[in-house]
Amino acid sequence: MNESDIYVIIALLPLASCMLIFQVNPYHALVIRGILGAVAALVYAVLGAADVALTEALVGTMLAITLYAVAVRSSLTMRLGVLEESGDKVPTTEEVEQHFGELMDDLRGIFGKHYMRVELVPYTDQQALHRALMEKEIHATCTRSHETELEPQDPTVPESETPSYHTATRVQRLYDIMRTELSSPATHLTYINTPDSGEGH
């Protein structure tokens, strides 16, 4: 390999680094991180540092990407707590079932644009659901309007105009996203202030 080829390969390092820094999609960033590690290992090998190249290939590339993939997979999931009859079980009426399906489709579409998944976590009763939210087992809850104890239904609002569901979240960022992008009229949105609620654990 001549000297000009080495310069070309070395020039790929800052280029890949800049692409990695400005990449918005975390999954694309993982791919670019792998390319960056492979180019770095190749440069080290070409320059005669075989031991450093091997270390970069095993630790800096393979292990790092594996850890990043696990972190991305776990951190980009919104755990949404629901009561069992509102989740996998069949709701009491077809209208409520339709509203729940539309709401879930809307939420998945919204968070999909932010590269997040929505994971439904069923609970047996309202107390367990609320406790899970307070103890940060989940990021948000979605319950039938008449089942929630967080906010009483306004008797002056006709039942036909009352949202079928009540969605509450303890994460400010999730609340901001849903408040600005959620178009479904089937739910009423609430932010629950808990200690250190800004953390997305």
Side-chain angles (χ1 to χ4, degrees), residues 7-196:
Y7 289 146
V8 171
I9 295 175
I10 293 176
L12 294 176
L13 286 174
L15 177 61
S17 299
C18 292
M19 292 176 61
L20 179 61
I21 292 173
F22 294 106
Q23 180 56 244
V24 177
N25 190 322
Y27 299 103
H28 294 171
L30 284 175
V31 176
I32 297 175
R33 176 63 182 86
I35 295 174
L36 177 61
V39 172
L42 178 60
V43 170
Y44 297 146
V46 170
L47 296 179
D51 54 340
V52 181
L54 181 61
T55 302
E56 172 63 29
L58 294 178
V59 179
T61 302
M62 295 180 60
L63 180 59
I65 289 180
T66 301
L67 296 177
Y68 290 167
V70 173
V72 167
R73 182 70 176 177
S74 60
S75 63
L76 293 181
T77 300
M78 187 192 78
R79 292 171 57 85
L80 180 64
V82 296
L83 294 178
E84 287 185 345
E85 65 175 8
S86 300
D88 297 333
K89 304 294 182 62
V90 178
T92 55
T93 66
E94 293 183 1
E95 182 179 1
V96 171
E97 182 180 8
Q98 180 182 358
H99 286 170
F100 183 78
E102 292 176 353
L103 177 59
M104 290 302 104
D105 291 341
D106 203 2
L107 288 176
R108 289 188 176 99
I110 290 173
F111 289 107
K113 292 187 294 184
H114 296 272
Y115 312 106
M116 297 180 65
R117 298 180 299 111
V118 178
E119 176 186 350
L120 297 184
V121 183
Y123 289 88
T124 56
D125 55 61
Q126 179 66 38
Q127 289 73 23
L129 185 65
H130 184 68
R131 183 170 60 253
L133 182 65
M134 294 298 103
E135 295 178 356
K136 301 181 181 180
E137 296 177 7
I138 54 179
H139 301 105
T141 62
C142 183
T143 58
R144 295 271 297 279
S145 294
H146 71 274
E147 292 169 338
T148 180
E149 299 176 356
L150 297 177
E151 184 173 321
Q153 180 175 329
D154 188 350
T156 63
V157 179
E159 185 175 354
S160 59
E161 299 180 7
T162 302
S164 302
Y165 286 89
H166 178 252
T167 303
T169 179
R170 61 176 175 81
V171 183
Q172 182 67 50
R173 177 58 178 159
L174 297 181
Y175 174 77
D176 293 338
I177 291 175
M178 289 188 285
R179 183 184 59 182
T180 56
E181 301 184 30
L182 187 62
S183 60
S184 174
T187 187
H188 173 71
L189 185 62
T190 301
Y191 172 68
I192 304 298
N193 190 10
T194 60
D196 299 326

